Amino acid sequence: MKLRKKKVLLFLLAIFLLYVLWLSFNILRFKTYKAEIKESPLEIEGVYHIHTTYSDGRKSLDEIAKLASQADLDFIVLTDHGNPNHESYSSQGWKEEVLVLAGSEVSVSRGHLVALDFELPSGNFSPNTEDAFYEIKARGGFSIIAHPYSKIQWSWGKFIEYSGIEIINGDTALKKNILASLASLPALLIKPEYAFLKMFDSPHRNLRKWDELNNLYPIYGYFSLDAHLLYRPALNLLRLHLLLQSPLSEDFDTAQHQVYEALRKGRFFNSIHAAAHAHGFRFSGEEGGKTTPMGSTAMLDSPVSLSIEAPFPFAKEIHLVHNGKMILRSTEDSISYEAAHPGTYRVEVYLTERSPLGKNIPWIISNPIFLREDEK
Ligand SMILES: [Zn+2]
Ligand SMILES: [Zn+2]
Ligand SMILES: [Zn+2]
């Protein structure tokens, strides 16, 4: 009897040791892929959707700004809960050489709506979604549908022109997949980026909805961190890459305008930064010497030449997506495609090097280029 108990214990110990070996091996060989690229001052990188102690975040803005600066971020966008959140709003400025902008995550009848670039209202925004949308708009702002498929879902319905929709949400992924990725959780203590990457699952439901909405009107896709804690690794997880017309100004008002302008026009792409650095990716259209930047609409008088640049030395696979359907797949660094049909064109890039990031999760998602035949 005693001997049998001992055998079971030894067996369990062996399993545990194997597991520790397996995890250590995977953590040790994990690396974030980086390209030796001369960084362009016209491409700036930031993180969108951060909570601070102004609402339910665990760290103060000062602490977060320090970490953002260490993570080499050009800007961060705070979205503290509030209606709107006045404290967060008045904390905007340059902190630790990071541009700190603050919108608010407003709880409305359809879910959570992120309001950005608005002038403070005298009272609260309405709890009714459509009313809040128009109030934000009337105060010069724009709004983004937050985490449409998290526990707090978005209820669809009335057609109004939201500026954006979150296509990946860090907080939702964490809450939803923490059990499924239990085996990788101890990595949080040693290499948290590894554990985080393991927690992402395919965003295809969000992407399908996004494509569906883009059939109605242009709406931009956001990788949203929705950080409440673990800021140091989290700030290295997801990035927005904005393409500016001129380098980011040192003057706060000008810089703020530059960032919001790029967001409003969809001149940005998203990346999962902890998997690989995406600086240098480009997607644009050209026809008769006229360039159509990402996020814009071009008239389809004659075929528009779409070009994709992915100058990365590690293995990746580029997908060109038209109205939600993949029409081109390539592993090249540079691609061009003659687009002759109207609709929404966007790009997904998958990392095919070894990575804790699932093979079905896009590492880069661009914003679309819209081609139209008629003047609507
Ligand atoms: Zn929260
Ligand atoms: Zn929320
Ligand atoms: Zn949030």
Side-chain angles (χ1 to χ4, degrees):
M1 189 65 183
K2 241 183 176 175
L3 193 71
R4 206 171 140 197
K5 208 170 162 190
K6 211 170 162 187
K7 270 187 178 166
V8 170
L9 271 176
L10 272 173
F11 178 72
L12 287 177
L13 188 69
I15 298 261
F16 179 71
L17 279 174
L18 274 176
Y19 160 70
V20 170
L21 269 173
W22 167 82
L23 187 64
S24 320
F25 176 67
N26 278 306
I27 292 173
L28 276 174
R29 65 176 189 168
F30 162 66
K31 65 169 186 176
T32 301
Y33 295 96
K34 292 170 194 172
E36 301 260 328
I37 280 180
K38 196 176 171 291
E39 298 209 345
S40 160
L42 297 183
E43 176 179 344
I44 62 164
E45 298 183 30
V47 172
Y48 154 81
H49 203 141
I50 297 172
H51 294 273
T52 71
T53 44
Y54 294 131
S55 65
D56 56 352
R58 293 292 172 84
K59 278 196 194 304
S60 71
L61 173 56
D62 285 344
E63 292 172 287
I64 294 168
K66 215 169 263 164
L67 294 171
S69 168
Q70 285 163 14
D72 247 342
L73 292 167
D74 298 302
F75 69 94
I76 54 176
V77 182
L78 310 182
T79 54
D80 275 304
H81 301 281
N83 189 10
N85 190 305
H86 287 256
E87 276 183 295
S88 180
Y89 189 94
S90 50
S91 71
Q92 299 183 92
W94 286 101
K95 291 209 164 37
E96 307 278 339
E97 289 178 43
V98 176
L99 177 70
V100 177
L101 301 178
S104 282
E105 185 171 10
V106 188
S107 299
V108 290
S109 50
R110 292 192 186 280
H112 284 179
L113 187 66
V114 169
L116 297 177
D117 200 17
F118 54 86
E119 277 169 43
L120 274 182
S122 46
N124 285 349
F125 291 125
S126 165
N128 173 279
T129 310
E130 285 73 26
D131 291 346
F133 171 88
Y134 287 110
E135 287 164 13
I136 292 159
K137 196 174 170 187
R139 316 233 27 112
F142 62 104
S143 35
I144 298 159
I145 297 171
H147 47 73
Y149 297 114
S150 79
K151 221 167 153 193
I152 295 164
Q153 293 220 341
W154 186 263
S155 66
W156 307 95
K158 208 170 161 185
F159 166 94
I160 37 177
E161 300 195 357
Y162 300 103
S163 176
I165 176 170
E166 295 183 359
I167 46 180
I168 281 187
N169 180 288
D171 185 58
T172 307
L174 191 107
K175 284 181 182 147
K176 205 170 116 207
N177 301 319
I178 200 154
L179 280 179
S181 48
L182 211 56
S184 315
L185 272 193
L188 272 179
L189 301 170
I190 313 155
K191 201 85 186 134
E193 287 90 343
Y194 175 89
F196 280 155
L197 287 176
K198 278 279 182 194
M199 276 174 213
F200 282 113
D201 61 355
S202 165
H204 283 99
R205 194 175 179 199
N206 296 52
L207 294 179
R208 235 182 303 138
K209 189 68 197 183
W210 183 33
D211 289 327
E212 194 187 306
L213 292 173
N214 268 321
N215 282 333
L216 304 171
Y217 63 97
I219 177 167
Y220 303 123
Y222 284 74
F223 280 9
S224 155
L225 190 61
D226 209 349
H228 291 78
L229 69 172
L230 296 170
Y231 295 91
R232 185 188 296 277
L235 289 169
N236 277 308
L237 199 56
L238 302 175
R239 292 263 158 112
L240 262 48
H241 300 246
L242 274 49
L243 303 178
L244 307 180
Q245 320 270 63
S246 55
L248 190 64
S249 170
E250 284 172 17
D251 170 65
F252 174 75
D253 287 338
T254 314
Q256 164 170 256
H257 178 75
Q258 285 176 290
V259 168
Y260 282 140
E261 167 106 338
L263 297 181
R264 282 174 187 270
K265 292 188 167 163
R267 291 191 181 175
F268 68 97
F269 62 91
N270 304 278
S271 76
I272 302 184
H273 187 72
H277 292 191
H279 198 102
F281 168 83
R282 294 290 182 274
F283 175 46
S284 62
E286 202 185 299
E287 190 250 320
K290 218 180 113 219
T291 303
T292 304
M294 202 169 36
S296 303
T297 302
M299 298 309 292
L300 196 60
D301 302 324
S302 56
V304 171
S305 171
L306 298 176
S307 83
I308 304 164
E309 301 291 334
F312 307 111
F314 37 85
K316 71 271 164 190
E317 190 174 280
I318 298 168
H319 294 185
L320 178 63
V321 178
H322 176 225
N323 292 342
K325 267 223 210 77
M326 201 232 311
I327 51 165
L328 179 85
R329 195 206 312 243
S330 167
T331 55
E332 303 286 307
D333 284 2
S334 181
I335 306 164
S336 82
Y337 176 87
E338 294 295 304
H341 301 285
T344 306
Y345 291 84
R346 59 177 186 81
V347 179
E348 295 172 0
V349 186
Y350 294 81
L351 195 63
T352 49
E353 294 279 6
R354 184 184 57 228
S355 169
L357 186 69
K359 292 278 172 264
N360 56 343
I361 303 163
W363 156 53
I364 295 176
I365 297 187
S366 79
N367 265 304
I369 288 176
F370 307 94
L371 300 184
R372 282 216 325 248
E373 271 176 333
D374 56 299
E375 205 79 59
K376 254 201 273 187

